[in-house]
Amino acid sequence: MHTRPRVIVIGGGFGGLAAVRALRAAAVDVLLIDRGNHHTFQPLLYQVATAGLAAPSISAPLRHILRDQRNTTVLLGEARRIDIEGRSVDVDGTPHPYDFLIVATGSTHAYFGHDEWARYAPGLKTLDDALRIRARILTAFERAEATRDPAEQMEWLTFVIVGAGATGVELAGTLAEIARHTLKREFRHIDPAAAKVLLIEAGARVLPAFPPSLSTKAQHQLERLGVVVRTGRPVTSVEERSVWIGEERIAARTALWAAGVAASPLGATLGVAVDRAGRVPVTAQLTVAGHPEVFIVGDLTAVPEGSAPLPAIAPAAKQMGHYAATAILAKLAQRRLGPFRYRHFGSLATIGRMAAVADFGRIRLSGILAWWIWLTAHVYFLIGFRNRLVVLIDWAEAYWSYRRGARIIIPIGDSAKP
Amino acid sequence: MHTRPRVIVIGGGFGGLAAVRALRAAAVDVLLIDRGNHHTFQPLLYQVATAGLAAPSISAPLRHILRDQRNTTVLLGEARRIDIEGRSVDVDGTPHPYDFLIVATGSTHAYFGHDEWARYAPGLKTLDDALRIRARILTAFERAEATRDPAEQMEWLTFVIVGAGATGVELAGTLAEIARHTLKREFRHIDPAAAKVLLIEAGARVLPAFPPSLSTKAQHQLERLGVVVRTGRPVTSVEERSVWIGEERIAARTALWAAGVAASPLGATLGVAVDRAGRVPVTAQLTVAGHPEVFIVGDLTAVPEGSAPLPAIAPAAKQMGHYAATAILAKLAQRRLGPFRYRHFGSLATIGRMAAVADFGRIRLSGILAWWIWLTAHVYFLIGFRNRLVVLIDWAEAYWSYRRGARIIIPIGDSAKP
């Protein structure tokens, strides 16, 4: 009975969603599997974590996005294992057969073998992570206000961000702004502006993916906001009240992890050798060697030896997702398709109000102009008219008043299912 | 050293906040204690629970509201016990002395001695409750879509709301609208419009606090939206997959509790006899007998025998809070103050799009006009310009498109503290 080829896409992030959308007119049946019911606009997660935006503002239900794509079914569930020989995906115990498979499950945080640090230094990959970090940050100021012990007060007012990639830089800049501006006049026993925000980077400079000249500018902009930047030595331990750099102890009750990522563990169930970060090696067609029906897209992909590594950013995932869908259509039409080629449009990172860096190859910008480009690009790509408008209002208000619209502490559970 | 009288207000809801604000120009030191960091606009909680609004849209940080009230300190913490003779409040183990005390801790859900039902039928009093209910409702449709067992499917598509006061009516009407309109075209294996929404009321009619003519109109409006209304018999048991009315079993996986409330347990620590619902009896000045320095306001109050009971609505709590503050100022100025008098402005309940009832004594309205009054009043009273604007945008969009802006499932923890 089932005559149309069946395509399973695992993961509704940028890569998976781009693939599903590119298949909208195809004579195939598409099944999109995701653990959550929504697509998350990850580049703005740090805004949810720092109480600037509400979680719904940067997310949209997958079902709603795809409601009019009649060849597509959305399934809320966790893909546990892929049977690559049997061509089937196990979703919470139920096997789902496929003719083509696109795996787009992305990455999660990694603690370099120290998973016990996760408890004290949460990372930022999902909306739950963002709400958990938000609660930690807001609660730290509350605890500082409540205690009369000056040493404990300073521990609560010290924030350490580990890792100075784009996420670390964004968190540090925004936290400094919250301490110095947003919370002004609100406390009676502490001065929130006395809070210390430390950004620790093991490498030689902040934003290592950018040219050195922009790293220097980014560091200056961070320091102007009051962030203390420390580069060149790695964090060696994280505890409830301490972050250690070798023998040096930083007394801090709040640490945030923006350092390491590991590929989604689903890749390891494919039965092929993954790289050290858990990523799956692919051919020039983004397929698993010997399995032209299985595509790997997004952060889970390890590019072939000799190719330049792809940045872990939304445009790369989208291009891969789109390519995988096109490759399936080509195979069905028995057309040939060239190898995947990544087209880099540029890199952007924001630091704070009117502070950002932008790298477009020969053109490198920092400061106000970079910030406007960042703002425009992020609002433009955010899904759905309503989200865009509400985000703009929140940002306009934050800009004029330093207020942040989502300063509520809500307890977040540990499991991904209610 | 401490010469200014010290006023402690417990609870930052409508009653407590009104009291604190009325003390803004007084020569007293005010301490506001709350378990959460935010004021919640409770009349719109059902909108958060039904995915129409984001949680931050109906809440505002207490510190931010009160940042310029220099005589006031906000403390995040739980008041565990009141030592009425020693004039002190225990907040998480630390005693806080007072000269005047205003207790405004409100009420919580009550299951008529069946606390085991709480697990299966969550109630709606706080933002966490709302997010938990939202996750249940959205997950139920996902589970219905995922199963191939028609009986299980129908169980997931059956929603029982227990209690037909304002909250129950609002939840039932909105749920029916979500099933029939919002989710249209989004599922492939179920028709969400086939969902059954049952509203069960032990009393003789829906909205018992309204005149019978408006109850009849409200029931008609609910039925037009597709809600099945059952009155006159109480729910006798709630289980994971069943709601029982006597011998009759309703097979439902989702039950929501909007039936009973009990006063906050803090009232019982005062050492005076509380009534059956846990409320604290007060004098005509809203004070505890023999303790003119201790005021009880809001839902925790049991009015003196012979007085008409006060409705458990925001205006009543606000008036009581304001009165308690005025009474403290009068005592300090050695002025006399008459007894508290409640002024009733009217009652409103909304049912769904363009459907509501309004009771202003002689003037009774239902339908579109009542709905417009409801809408205007709620947006007007919602705190803060930004919240109002965002809520209006969300509602305008929901009105035109039936979309709901906050359809994300986030796991919510059980404790009130992160």
Side-chain angles (χ1 to χ4, degrees), chain A residues 37-38 54-56 59 61 63-64 66-70 72-76 127-128 131 134-135 138-139 142-143 145-146 184-189 386 389-390 393-394 397 403 405-413 415-418, chain B residues 37-38 54-56 59 61 63-64 66-70 72-76 127-128 131 134-135 138-139 142-143 145-146 184-189 386 389-390 393-394 397 403 405-413 415-418:
Chain A
N37 76 328
H38 50 274
S59 46
R63 288 193 186 290
H64 186 75
L66 298 166
R67 69 194 179 286
D68 290 324
Q69 188 164 325
R70 301 307 300 178
T72 300
T73 301
V74 176
L75 178 62
L76 177 73
L127 279 180
D128 332 358
L131 294 177
R134 183 201 284 174
L138 297 176
T139 303
E142 297 293 337
R143 294 278 185 276
E145 170 84 351
K184 203 182 259 182
R185 304 200 307 277
E186 295 196 7
F187 292 85
R188 302 295 179 251
H189 301 292
R386 175 252 170 208
L389 189 57
V390 171
I393 291 169
D394 279 359
E397 201 207 2
R403 274 191 223 173
R407 280 175 47 205
I408 55 167
I409 300 175
I410 295 170
I412 299 302
S415 122
K417 281 179 201 154
Chain B
N37 76 329
H38 51 273
S59 47
R63 289 194 185 287
H64 187 74
L66 298 167
R67 69 195 178 285
D68 290 325
Q69 189 164 326
R70 301 306 301 178
T72 300
T73 300
V74 176
L75 177 62
L76 177 73
L127 279 180
D128 330 358
L131 294 177
R134 184 201 286 174
L138 297 176
T139 303
E142 296 292 337
R143 295 275 186 277
E145 170 83 351
K184 201 182 262 182
R185 304 199 308 278
E186 295 197 7
F187 292 85
R188 302 295 179 251
H189 302 291
R386 175 250 170 207
L389 189 56
V390 171
I393 291 170
D394 280 358
E397 202 205 2
R403 273 190 223 173
R407 279 175 49 204
I408 55 168
I409 300 174
I410 294 170
I412 298 301
S415 122
K417 280 177 204 158

Side-chain angles (χ1 to χ4, degrees), chain A residues 184-257:
Chain A
K184 203 182 259 182
R185 304 200 307 277
E186 295 196 7
F187 292 85
R188 302 295 179 251
H189 301 292
I190 58 166
D191 175 10
K196 277 198 279 189
V197 180
L198 286 91
L199 179 62
I200 316 276
E201 165 62 41
R205 54 195 177 87
V206 304
L207 296 177
F210 284 71
S213 63
L214 288 181
S215 294
T216 308
K217 292 215 164 107
Q219 180 162 345
H220 287 329
Q221 293 179 64
L222 283 164
E223 286 165 350
R224 209 173 307 137
L225 287 168
V227 175
V228 177
V229 179
R230 307 234 345 223
T231 54
R233 292 180 63 198
V235 162
T236 49
S237 182
V238 185
E239 296 162 2
E240 188 175 0
R241 294 169 50 192
S242 313
V243 175
W244 293 86
I245 304 178
E247 294 300 299
E248 183 195 355
R249 171 181 178 233
I250 299 166
R253 300 256 191 171
T254 310
L256 306 178
W257 192 258

Side-chain angles (χ1 to χ4, degrees), chain B residues 315-326:
Chain B
K318 281 189 196 175
Q319 290 177 36
M320 287 190 260
H322 192 272
Y323 174 88
T326 312

Side-chain angles (χ1 to χ4, degrees), chain A residues 166 170 207-211 214 310-313 315 342-350 356-361 363-366 370-371 373-374 377-378:
Chain A
E170 284 157 359
L207 296 177
F210 284 71
L214 288 181
L310 295 180
I313 57 177
Y342 170 60
R343 191 157 167 224
H344 188 65
F345 294 103
S347 302
L348 288 164
T350 183
V357 290
D359 172 25
F360 300 110
I363 301 170
R364 292 170 186 176
L365 303 168
S366 68
W371 185 74
I373 294 170
W374 175 89
H378 282 73

Side-chain angles (χ1 to χ4, degrees), chain A residues 364-382:
Chain A
R364 292 170 186 176
L365 303 168
S366 68
I368 297 182
L369 185 57
W371 185 74
W372 271 107
I373 294 170
W374 175 89
L375 187 89
T376 310
H378 282 73
V379 171
Y380 178 80
F381 284 112
L382 194 53

